[in-house]
Amino acid sequence: MTVQESRVNGIDTSVLQETVKAIQADPELAKCTFRVSNQWVGGAHNRTTVDGFYGAKQEMSHKQRFQMDADEPPMLAGQDEGANPVEHLLNALAACVTTSMVAHAAVRGIKVEELESQIEGDIDLRGFLGLSPGTPKGFTTIRMKVRAKASSEDLKKLKEFSGYSPVLNTITNGAKVNVEIEGK
Amino acid sequence: MTVQESRVNGIDTSVLQETVKAIQADPELAKCTFRVSNQWVGGAHNRTTVDGFYGAKQEMSHKQRFQMDADEPPMLAGQDEGANPVEHLLNALAACVTTSMVAHAAVRGIKVEELESQIEGDIDLRGFLGLSPGTPKGFTTIRMKVRAKASSEDLKKLKEFSGYSPVLNTITNGAKVNVEIEGK
Protein backbone atom coordinates (compact mmCIF):
# COMPACT_ATOMS: atom_id res chain seq x y z
CA MET A 1 0.00 0.00 0.00
CA THR A 2 1.44 3.39 -0.93
CA VAL A 3 1.24 6.45 1.32
CA GLN A 4 -1.36 7.85 -1.07
CA GLU A 5 -3.65 4.86 -0.64
CA SER A 6 -3.56 4.95 3.17
CA ARG A 7 -5.30 8.34 3.22
CA VAL A 8 -9.08 8.15 3.76
CA ASN A 9 -11.23 11.22 4.55
CA GLY A 10 -8.01 13.25 4.57
CA ILE A 11 -6.67 11.15 7.44
CA ASP A 12 -3.49 9.16 7.11
CA THR A 13 -4.86 5.91 8.49
CA SER A 14 -1.38 4.38 8.62
CA VAL A 15 -0.54 6.89 11.39
CA LEU A 16 -3.56 5.77 13.41
CA GLN A 17 -2.75 2.12 12.73
CA GLU A 18 0.83 2.65 13.93
CA THR A 19 -0.51 4.39 17.05
CA VAL A 20 -2.86 1.48 17.71
CA LYS A 21 -0.07 -1.08 17.30
CA ALA A 22 2.28 0.86 19.58
CA ILE A 23 -0.41 1.21 22.28
CA GLN A 24 -1.30 -2.47 22.07
CA ALA A 25 2.37 -3.27 22.73
CA ASP A 26 2.68 -0.67 25.50
CA PRO A 27 -0.58 0.72 26.98
CA GLU A 28 1.35 3.45 28.85
CA LEU A 29 1.71 5.22 25.50
CA ALA A 30 -2.06 5.85 25.51
CA LYS A 31 -2.00 8.05 28.59
CA CYS A 32 -2.35 11.71 27.68
CA THR A 33 -2.70 14.85 29.77
CA PHE A 34 -4.17 17.80 27.91
CA ARG A 35 -3.88 21.25 29.40
CA VAL A 36 -4.62 24.90 28.76
CA SER A 37 -3.87 28.11 30.61
CA ASN A 38 -6.23 31.03 30.88
CA GLN A 39 -5.63 34.70 31.60
CA TRP A 40 -8.39 37.04 32.71
CA VAL A 41 -8.20 40.12 30.44
CA GLY A 42 -10.89 42.16 32.23
CA GLY A 43 -14.67 42.12 32.59
CA ALA A 44 -16.12 39.04 30.88
CA HIS A 45 -13.12 38.77 28.55
CA ASN A 46 -10.47 36.11 29.08
CA ARG A 47 -7.97 34.33 26.87
CA THR A 48 -6.86 30.71 26.77
CA THR A 49 -3.47 29.59 25.50
CA VAL A 50 -2.66 26.05 24.36
CA ASP A 51 1.00 25.11 23.92
CA GLY A 52 1.41 21.39 24.26
CA PHE A 53 0.36 18.23 26.02
CA TYR A 54 1.75 15.04 27.51
CA GLY A 55 1.36 11.90 25.42
CA ALA A 56 3.30 8.86 24.24
CA LYS A 57 5.38 9.14 27.45
CA GLN A 58 6.73 12.56 26.59
CA GLU A 59 5.94 16.27 26.50
CA MET A 60 4.65 17.18 23.06
CA SER A 61 4.50 20.68 21.55
CA HIS A 62 1.85 21.81 19.13
CA LYS A 63 3.15 23.08 15.80
CA GLN A 64 1.94 26.51 16.84
CA ARG A 65 0.53 28.20 19.94
CA PHE A 66 -3.26 28.45 19.94
CA GLN A 67 -5.22 31.24 21.59
CA MET A 68 -8.96 31.40 22.12
CA ASP A 69 -10.83 34.45 23.41
CA ALA A 70 -14.02 34.24 25.41
CA ASP A 71 -16.33 37.13 26.23
CA GLU A 72 -20.05 37.74 26.69
CA PRO A 73 -22.50 39.70 24.55
CA PRO A 74 -23.60 43.15 25.81
CA MET A 75 -26.83 41.79 27.36
CA LEU A 76 -24.60 39.74 29.66
CA ALA A 77 -22.38 42.72 30.45
CA GLY A 78 -19.58 41.81 28.03
CA GLN A 79 -18.00 43.46 25.00
CA ASP A 80 -18.50 40.55 22.56
CA GLU A 81 -14.77 40.07 21.90
CA GLY A 82 -15.17 36.30 21.62
CA ALA A 83 -17.70 33.50 21.70
CA ASN A 84 -19.03 32.98 25.20
CA PRO A 85 -18.00 29.97 27.32
CA VAL A 86 -21.11 27.88 26.62
CA GLU A 87 -20.69 28.49 22.89
CA HIS A 88 -17.09 27.30 23.30
CA LEU A 89 -18.46 24.15 24.95
CA LEU A 90 -20.77 23.52 21.98
CA ASN A 91 -17.78 24.09 19.67
CA ALA A 92 -15.75 21.47 21.55
CA LEU A 93 -18.59 18.98 21.26
CA ALA A 94 -19.28 19.62 17.57
CA ALA A 95 -15.57 19.36 16.76
CA CYS A 96 -15.06 16.16 18.74
CA VAL A 97 -18.09 14.31 17.39
CA THR A 98 -17.10 15.34 13.85
CA THR A 99 -13.51 14.12 14.21
CA SER A 100 -14.58 10.91 15.95
CA MET A 101 -16.98 10.05 13.13
CA VAL A 102 -14.56 10.89 10.33
CA ALA A 103 -11.56 9.14 11.91
CA HIS A 104 -13.40 5.95 12.86
CA ALA A 105 -14.88 5.87 9.36
CA ALA A 106 -11.40 6.33 7.86
CA VAL A 107 -9.79 3.37 9.64
CA ARG A 108 -12.71 1.20 8.46
CA GLY A 109 -12.32 2.40 4.87
CA ILE A 110 -15.63 4.30 4.89
CA LYS A 111 -15.40 7.42 2.77
CA VAL A 112 -17.21 10.57 3.87
CA GLU A 113 -17.46 13.26 1.21
CA GLU A 114 -19.03 16.12 3.15
CA LEU A 115 -20.07 16.59 6.75
CA GLU A 116 -21.51 19.55 8.62
CA SER A 117 -23.47 20.01 11.81
CA GLN A 118 -25.52 22.35 13.89
CA ILE A 119 -25.63 22.09 17.62
CA GLU A 120 -27.70 23.90 20.22
CA GLY A 121 -28.57 23.84 23.87
CA ASP A 122 -30.91 25.72 26.19
CA ILE A 123 -29.89 27.58 29.30
CA ASP A 124 -32.16 29.31 31.77
CA LEU A 125 -30.13 32.24 33.07
CA ARG A 126 -31.93 32.11 36.42
CA GLY A 127 -29.55 29.27 37.31
CA PHE A 128 -26.34 31.18 36.60
CA LEU A 129 -27.69 34.37 38.17
CA GLY A 130 -28.62 32.54 41.36
CA LEU A 131 -32.29 33.59 41.09
CA SER A 132 -33.82 30.13 41.25
CA PRO A 133 -32.09 27.36 43.26
CA GLY A 134 -34.06 24.63 41.47
CA THR A 135 -33.07 25.78 37.98
CA PRO A 136 -30.09 23.95 36.45
CA LYS A 137 -27.12 26.28 35.89
CA GLY A 138 -25.84 24.51 32.78
CA PHE A 139 -27.12 22.66 29.75
CA THR A 140 -29.28 19.62 30.50
CA THR A 141 -29.93 18.58 26.90
CA ILE A 142 -27.87 19.39 23.81
CA ARG A 143 -29.13 18.70 20.29
CA MET A 144 -26.74 18.02 17.41
CA LYS A 145 -27.90 17.64 13.82
CA VAL A 146 -25.36 16.24 11.40
CA ARG A 147 -25.69 16.24 7.62
CA ALA A 148 -23.27 14.00 5.76
CA LYS A 149 -22.78 12.83 2.21
CA ALA A 150 -22.68 9.05 2.64
CA SER A 151 -24.87 5.99 2.02
CA SER A 152 -27.74 5.38 4.43
CA GLU A 153 -25.91 2.34 5.79
CA ASP A 154 -22.80 4.43 6.40
CA LEU A 155 -24.88 7.18 8.05
CA LYS A 156 -25.92 4.62 10.68
CA LYS A 157 -22.29 3.69 11.22
CA LEU A 158 -21.31 7.36 11.59
CA LYS A 159 -23.92 7.73 14.31
CA GLU A 160 -22.39 4.70 16.07
CA PHE A 161 -18.87 6.19 15.73
CA SER A 162 -20.05 9.41 17.42
CA GLY A 163 -20.11 7.30 20.61
CA TYR A 164 -16.29 7.26 20.64
CA SER A 165 -16.07 11.04 21.08
CA PRO A 166 -14.15 11.99 24.26
CA VAL A 167 -16.00 15.31 24.63
CA LEU A 168 -19.41 13.65 24.13
CA ASN A 169 -18.47 11.01 26.71
CA THR A 170 -17.24 13.64 29.19
CA ILE A 171 -20.51 15.56 28.89
CA THR A 172 -22.92 12.62 28.90
CA ASN A 173 -21.16 10.69 31.69
CA GLY A 174 -20.06 13.75 33.64
CA ALA A 175 -16.62 14.36 35.09
CA LYS A 176 -15.37 15.53 38.43
CA VAL A 177 -13.86 19.03 38.37
CA ASN A 178 -11.54 20.08 41.17
CA VAL A 179 -11.14 23.85 41.45
CA GLU A 180 -8.33 25.09 43.70
CA ILE A 181 -7.73 28.77 44.35
CA GLU A 182 -4.67 30.42 45.80
CA GLY A 183 -3.51 34.00 46.18
CA LYS A 184 -0.84 35.62 44.03
CA MET B 1 -24.38 56.20 41.43
CA THR B 2 -22.58 57.26 38.27
CA VAL B 3 -21.85 54.93 35.36
CA GLN B 4 -18.19 54.98 36.44
CA GLU B 5 -19.02 53.74 39.92
CA SER B 6 -21.17 50.83 38.69
CA ARG B 7 -18.15 49.20 36.98
CA VAL B 8 -16.43 46.53 39.11
CA ASN B 9 -13.81 44.12 37.70
CA GLY B 10 -14.42 45.70 34.30
CA ILE B 11 -18.06 44.61 34.41
CA ASP B 12 -20.87 47.13 34.27
CA THR B 13 -22.83 45.75 37.21
CA SER B 14 -25.80 48.00 36.41
CA VAL B 15 -26.33 45.93 33.22
CA LEU B 16 -26.43 42.71 35.25
CA GLN B 17 -28.70 44.32 37.86
CA GLU B 18 -31.10 45.45 35.10
CA THR B 19 -31.06 41.92 33.65
CA VAL B 20 -31.83 40.46 37.07
CA LYS B 21 -34.72 42.89 37.61
CA ALA B 22 -36.17 42.20 34.16
CA ILE B 23 -35.96 38.42 34.67
CA GLN B 24 -37.55 38.64 38.11
CA ALA B 25 -40.47 40.46 36.49
CA ASP B 26 -40.65 38.06 33.52
CA PRO B 27 -38.79 34.71 33.89
CA GLU B 28 -39.31 33.96 30.15
CA LEU B 29 -36.55 36.52 29.47
CA ALA B 30 -34.04 34.13 31.11
CA LYS B 31 -34.50 31.41 28.51
CA CYS B 32 -31.58 31.28 26.08
CA THR B 33 -30.67 28.93 23.28
CA PHE B 34 -27.02 29.00 22.30
CA ARG B 35 -25.94 27.45 19.03
CA VAL B 36 -22.95 26.91 16.79
CA SER B 37 -22.50 25.37 13.34
CA ASN B 38 -19.54 23.26 12.32
CA GLN B 39 -18.09 22.46 8.92
CA TRP B 40 -15.73 19.55 8.37
CA VAL B 41 -12.73 20.93 6.45
CA GLY B 42 -10.99 17.58 5.90
CA GLY B 43 -9.07 15.04 7.97
CA ALA B 44 -9.14 15.99 11.64
CA HIS B 45 -9.68 19.67 10.80
CA ASN B 46 -13.08 21.29 11.23
CA ARG B 47 -14.32 24.82 11.82
CA THR B 48 -17.07 26.16 14.05
CA THR B 49 -18.94 29.38 13.33
CA VAL B 50 -20.90 31.33 15.95
CA ASP B 51 -23.28 34.03 14.75
CA GLY B 52 -25.95 34.63 17.34
CA PHE B 53 -28.26 33.13 19.92
CA TYR B 54 -31.79 33.35 21.24
CA GLY B 55 -32.29 35.26 24.46
CA ALA B 56 -34.55 37.86 26.06
CA LYS B 57 -37.37 36.56 23.83
CA GLN B 58 -35.59 37.47 20.61
CA GLU B 59 -32.86 36.45 18.17
CA MET B 60 -29.65 38.22 19.12
CA SER B 61 -26.61 38.73 16.87
CA HIS B 62 -23.07 38.85 18.13
CA LYS B 63 -21.15 42.04 17.30
CA GLN B 64 -19.00 39.89 15.02
CA ARG B 65 -18.93 36.35 13.67
CA PHE B 66 -16.61 34.04 15.61
CA GLN B 67 -14.77 31.11 14.09
CA MET B 68 -12.85 28.41 15.92
CA ASP B 69 -10.68 25.78 14.26
CA ALA B 70 -10.12 22.32 15.67
CA ASP B 71 -7.54 19.81 14.50
CA GLU B 72 -5.34 17.13 16.00
CA PRO B 73 -1.55 17.00 16.41
CA PRO B 74 0.43 14.79 14.00
CA MET B 75 0.57 11.86 16.47
CA LEU B 76 -3.23 11.74 16.21
CA ALA B 77 -3.13 11.97 12.41
CA GLY B 78 -3.91 15.68 12.17
CA GLN B 79 -2.11 18.74 10.82
CA ASP B 80 -2.20 20.82 14.04
CA GLU B 81 -4.22 23.66 12.49
CA GLY B 82 -6.12 24.25 15.73
CA ALA B 83 -6.40 23.13 19.32
CA ASN B 84 -7.93 19.68 19.54
CA PRO B 85 -11.51 19.14 20.74
CA VAL B 86 -10.62 18.15 24.31
CA GLU B 87 -8.39 21.23 24.61
CA HIS B 88 -11.38 23.28 23.39
CA LEU B 89 -13.43 21.68 26.18
CA LEU B 90 -10.82 22.72 28.77
CA ASN B 91 -10.87 26.23 27.27
CA ALA B 92 -14.66 26.40 27.66
CA LEU B 93 -14.39 25.33 31.29
CA ALA B 94 -11.53 27.70 32.17
CA ALA B 95 -13.33 30.62 30.49
CA CYS B 96 -16.66 29.90 32.19
CA VAL B 97 -15.30 29.43 35.70
CA THR B 98 -13.25 32.63 35.30
CA THR B 99 -16.22 34.71 34.12
CA SER B 100 -18.52 33.24 36.76
CA MET B 101 -16.10 34.12 39.55
CA VAL B 102 -15.38 37.64 38.28
CA ALA B 103 -19.03 38.50 37.52
CA HIS B 104 -20.44 37.18 40.80
CA ALA B 105 -17.67 39.03 42.64
CA ALA B 106 -18.52 42.23 40.73
CA VAL B 107 -22.21 42.30 41.67
CA ARG B 108 -21.21 41.83 45.33
CA GLY B 109 -18.68 44.67 45.12
CA ILE B 110 -15.68 42.33 45.50
CA LYS B 111 -12.74 43.62 43.50
CA VAL B 112 -10.44 41.14 41.76
CA GLU B 113 -7.18 42.62 40.52
CA GLU B 114 -5.67 39.70 38.63
CA LEU B 115 -6.80 36.16 37.88
CA GLU B 116 -5.27 33.36 35.88
CA SER B 117 -5.67 29.62 35.78
CA GLN B 118 -4.27 26.36 34.54
CA ILE B 119 -6.48 23.42 33.81
CA GLU B 120 -5.70 19.85 32.84
CA GLY B 121 -7.29 16.48 32.41
CA ASP B 122 -6.14 12.95 31.63
CA ILE B 123 -7.35 10.84 28.76
CA ASP B 124 -6.41 7.25 28.04
CA LEU B 125 -6.52 6.97 24.23
CA ARG B 126 -7.47 3.29 24.45
CA GLY B 127 -11.02 4.49 25.09
CA PHE B 128 -11.30 6.68 22.00
CA LEU B 129 -9.51 4.11 19.83
CA GLY B 130 -11.88 1.34 20.95
CA LEU B 131 -9.00 -0.81 22.26
CA SER B 132 -10.31 -1.28 25.78
CA PRO B 133 -14.07 -1.37 26.43
CA GLY B 134 -13.60 -0.69 30.15
CA THR B 135 -11.51 2.44 29.64
CA PRO B 136 -13.44 5.74 29.80
CA LYS B 137 -13.41 7.56 26.47
CA GLY B 138 -13.46 11.06 27.96
CA PHE B 139 -12.11 12.95 30.94
CA THR B 140 -13.14 11.57 34.32
CA THR B 141 -11.38 14.17 36.47
CA ILE B 142 -10.32 17.68 35.51
CA ARG B 143 -8.04 19.80 37.70
CA MET B 144 -8.18 23.60 37.66
CA LYS B 145 -5.73 25.76 39.58
CA VAL B 146 -6.65 29.41 39.89
CA ARG B 147 -4.33 32.17 41.11
CA ALA B 148 -6.00 35.46 41.97
CA LYS B 149 -4.97 38.71 43.58
CA ALA B 150 -7.55 39.06 46.35
CA SER B 151 -7.79 38.74 50.15
CA SER B 152 -7.90 35.22 51.59
CA GLU B 153 -11.53 35.78 52.59
CA ASP B 154 -12.37 36.83 49.04
CA LEU B 155 -10.50 33.82 47.60
CA LYS B 156 -12.93 31.56 49.49
CA LYS B 157 -15.83 33.48 48.03
CA LEU B 158 -14.40 33.17 44.50
CA LYS B 159 -14.24 29.42 44.95
CA GLU B 160 -17.90 29.47 45.98
CA PHE B 161 -18.81 31.60 42.93
CA SER B 162 -17.18 29.04 40.62
CA GLY B 163 -20.18 26.86 41.45
CA TYR B 164 -22.40 29.14 39.32
CA SER B 165 -20.48 28.30 36.12
CA PRO B 166 -22.80 26.82 33.45
CA VAL B 167 -19.95 24.86 31.79
CA LEU B 168 -18.75 23.48 35.14
CA ASN B 169 -22.32 22.45 35.99
CA THR B 170 -22.82 20.84 32.58
CA ILE B 171 -19.65 18.78 32.99
CA THR B 172 -20.07 17.83 36.64
CA ASN B 173 -23.79 17.01 36.42
CA GLY B 174 -23.66 15.63 32.88
CA ALA B 175 -26.07 16.47 30.07
CA LYS B 176 -27.97 14.41 27.55
CA VAL B 177 -26.68 14.80 24.00
CA ASN B 178 -28.94 13.83 21.11
CA VAL B 179 -27.05 13.23 17.87
CA GLU B 180 -29.16 12.98 14.71
CA ILE B 181 -27.65 12.22 11.33
CA GLU B 182 -29.19 12.66 7.93
CA GLY B 183 -27.91 12.46 4.37
CA LYS B 184 -27.23 15.47 2.18
Side-chain angles (χ1 to χ4, degrees):
Chain A
M1 188 181 276
T2 66
V3 171
Q4 196 62 24
E5 285 170 332
S6 75
R7 195 168 283 276
V8 183
N9 302 335
I11 286 174
D12 187 346
T13 57
S14 65
V15 170
L16 286 181
Q17 281 154 359
E18 286 302 316
T19 300
V20 165
K21 268 189 215 163
I23 287 173
Q24 282 172 328
D26 182 0
E28 277 297 309
L29 290 166
K31 295 187 178 171
C32 294
T33 300
F34 294 97
R35 58 177 86 99
V36 308
S37 58
N38 183 279
Q39 180 75 45
W40 176 46
V41 179
H45 186 191
N46 60 72
R47 183 172 294 137
T48 283
T49 302
V50 187
D51 281 310
F53 60 98
Y54 175 86
K57 292 183 173 178
Q58 59 194 292
E59 285 299 319
M60 311 284 277
S61 291
H62 281 294
K63 204 174 70 181
Q64 53 189 312
R65 166 177 284 193
F66 304 116
Q67 289 197 318
M68 291 88 94
D69 282 60
D71 199 351
E72 294 289 347
M75 75 167 267
L76 289 167
Q79 306 291 321
D80 235 352
E81 296 294 334
N84 83 356
V86 297
E87 291 165 336
H88 278 293
L89 179 74
L90 298 179
N91 162 50
L93 182 57
C96 198
V97 169
T98 296
T99 298
S100 300
M101 292 191 299
V102 169
H104 274 272
V107 293
R108 289 162 180 81
I110 296 169
K111 286 183 188 167
V112 181
E113 285 182 63
E114 294 175 24
L115 194 146
E116 62 196 35
S117 62
Q118 291 190 302
I119 193 163
E120 63 176 30
D122 309 317
I123 286 189
D124 188 320
L125 288 178
R126 288 178 298 168
F128 167 70
L129 293 169
L131 300 177
S132 168
T135 300
K137 295 174 179 67
F139 291 119
T140 52
T141 305
I142 296 170
R143 302 170 292 279
M144 180 169 183
K145 290 198 179 177
V146 181
R147 292 179 73 224
K149 213 166 178 176
S151 72
S152 61
E153 197 187 334
D154 286 346
L155 289 175
K156 279 185 204 157
K157 289 181 185 162
L158 289 177
K159 162 114 189 188
E160 184 193 322
F161 301 154
S162 70
Y164 288 103
S165 160
V167 173
L168 183 140
N169 276 273
T170 303
I171 293 175
T172 55
N173 298 326
K176 198 174 169 193
V177 180
N178 292 318
V179 180
E180 281 180 24
I181 304 190
E182 60 179 37
K184 64 171 285 185
Chain B
M1 189 182 275
T2 66
V3 171
Q4 196 63 24
E5 285 170 333
S6 75
R7 196 168 279 278
V8 182
N9 301 336
I11 286 174
D12 187 345
T13 58
S14 64
V15 170
L16 286 181
Q17 280 154 0
E18 287 301 317
T19 299
V20 165
K21 267 189 215 164
I23 287 173
Q24 282 172 327
D26 182 0
E28 277 297 309
L29 290 167
K31 294 187 177 171
C32 293
T33 300
F34 294 98
R35 58 177 85 99
V36 309
S37 58
N38 184 280
Q39 180 75 45
W40 177 45
V41 178
H45 186 191
N46 60 71
R47 183 172 294 136
T48 284
T49 302
V50 187
D51 281 312
F53 61 98
Y54 176 85
K57 292 183 174 177
Q58 58 194 292
E59 285 299 320
M60 311 283 278
S61 292
H62 281 295
K63 203 174 71 181
Q64 52 189 312
R65 167 177 284 194
F66 304 115
Q67 289 197 317
M68 290 89 94
D69 282 61
D71 199 351
E72 294 287 349
M75 75 167 266
L76 289 167
Q79 306 292 321
D80 236 351
E81 296 295 334
N84 83 355
V86 297
E87 290 165 336
H88 277 293
L89 180 74
L90 297 180
N91 162 49
L93 182 57
C96 197
V97 169
T98 297
T99 298
S100 299
M101 291 191 298
V102 169
H104 274 271
V107 293
R108 288 162 180 80
I110 297 169
K111 286 182 189 167
V112 180
E113 285 182 65
E114 293 175 24
L115 194 146
E116 64 196 33
S117 62
Q118 291 190 304
I119 191 162
E120 63 177 30
D122 309 319
I123 285 189
D124 188 321
L125 288 178
R126 289 177 298 167
F128 167 70
L129 293 168
L131 299 177
S132 170
T135 301
K137 295 174 178 67
F139 291 120
T140 51
T141 305
I142 296 170
R143 302 170 292 279
M144 180 171 183
K145 288 197 181 179
V146 181
R147 292 179 73 225
K149 213 167 178 177
S151 71
S152 61
E153 195 188 336
D154 287 345
L155 289 174
K156 280 185 202 157
K157 288 181 186 163
L158 288 177
K159 162 114 189 188
E160 184 192 322
F161 301 154
S162 70
Y164 287 103
S165 160
V167 173
L168 183 140
N169 276 272
T170 302
I171 293 174
T172 55
N173 298 327
K176 198 175 170 191
V177 180
N178 292 318
V179 180
E180 282 179 24
I181 304 191
E182 61 178 38
K184 63 170 285 185

